[in-house]
Amino acid sequence: EIVLTQSPGTLSLSPGERATLSCRASQSVSSSYLAWYQQKPGQAPRLLIYGASSRATGIPDRFSGSGSGTDFTLTISRLEPEDFAVYYCQQYGSSSWTFGQGTKVEIK
Amino acid sequence: QITLKESGPTLVKPTQTLTLTCTFSGFSLSTSGVGVGWIRQPPGKALEWLALIYWDDDKRYSPSLKSRLTITKDTSKNQVVLTMTNMDPVDTATYYCAHVSAAGTLDPWGQGTLVTVSS
């Protein structure tokens, strides 16, 4: 089973700042089958990025994903008030899917 | 528009079997490449993938829970059922179902249903 480790656990930033979230896999993720989800309190997760770098429908271009192999990054270029939430990475390249433990982006 | 909704008991006793139903609309589980997945989230904790079923009845399970899980589909009713045996208080969580796209992603998700395991 592929273990995904996200860092940092919490990111304290101000609106307008850049956020960089990391997701590291214990083994190579096949064909960059890596996705990022955003979850706000009391809500279901929402798909942001798939295939490591493709934005899902309706996702603003301030969200971008990059990486391959075992190292992946989600970047939010300029934080808007609605972006403060928890972000999860997830791999779907093996027969057993897994999620990271999440990174909370909070207002500083 | 794709929508999914989870239903089932909100409270189960330890050792009981949990049966959850995901009822969906906006897609068919007879369409090639499509599937439905189940994910859970204990209060205040991270997401955990449980199982998924594809249009061709291919089934996948979390290795750590495989012995306790069964996933089935009823294409005519647009439903997917997840059963989990031998429930324990640590299984208390919000259980979500989600559409699995042809690209392999979980999108969208249902609203989730909170299941509490307590005597």
Side-chain angles (χ1 to χ4, degrees), chain B residues 4-69:
Chain B
L4 307 97
K5 187 172 184 179
E6 307 85 354
S7 60
T10 58
L11 179 66
V12 297
K13 290 181 166 52
T15 75
Q16 286 187 335
T17 294
L18 171 68
T19 299
L20 293 172
T21 300
C22 177
T23 303
F24 57 86
S25 63
F27 68 98
S28 172
L29 254 182
S30 59
T31 300
S32 179
V34 168
V36 170
W38 284 93
I39 308 95
R40 71 178 179 179
Q41 185 173 38
K45 295 189 177 181
L47 301 167
E48 179 182 19
W49 173 75
L50 300 177
L52 68 92
I53 188 166
Y54 288 104
W55 86 102
D56 60 356
D57 212 37
D58 182 17
K59 302 169 185 177
R60 310 287 175 86
Y61 296 100
S62 166
S64 62
L65 293 167
K66 185 175 183 178
S67 63
R68 299 174 54 204
L69 295 174

Side-chain angles (χ1 to χ4, degrees), chain A residues 73-104:
Chain A
T73 301
L74 174 69
T75 302
I76 310 171
S77 59
R78 287 188 327 278
L79 283 164
E80 297 288 340
E82 62 268 27
D83 299 336
F84 292 92
V86 179
Y87 293 84
Y88 293 95
C89 60
Q90 179 238 342
Q91 66 79 22
Y92 52 103
S94 67
S95 61
S96 174
W97 295 4
T98 49
F99 286 91
Q101 81 279 20
T103 290
K104 182 179 181 180

Side-chain angles (χ1 to χ4, degrees), chain B residues 39-112:
Chain B
I39 308 95
R40 71 178 179 179
Q41 185 173 38
K45 295 189 177 181
L47 301 167
E48 179 182 19
W49 173 75
L50 300 177
L52 68 92
I53 188 166
Y54 288 104
W55 86 102
D56 60 356
D57 212 37
D58 182 17
K59 302 169 185 177
R60 310 287 175 86
Y61 296 100
S62 166
S64 62
L65 293 167
K66 185 175 183 178
S67 63
R68 299 174 54 204
L69 295 174
T70 303
I71 190 169
T72 59
K73 63 180 175 69
D74 187 329
T75 305
S76 64
K77 292 184 178 179
N78 281 353
Q79 291 182 333
V80 170
V81 175
L82 181 75
T83 61
M84 180 180 292
T85 60
N86 194 24
M87 293 292 285
D88 183 271
V90 299
D91 296 313
T92 293
T94 296
Y95 286 77
Y96 296 98
C97 64
H99 167 257
V100 178
S101 70
T105 52
L106 296 160
D107 179 45
W109 296 48
Q111 66 189 27

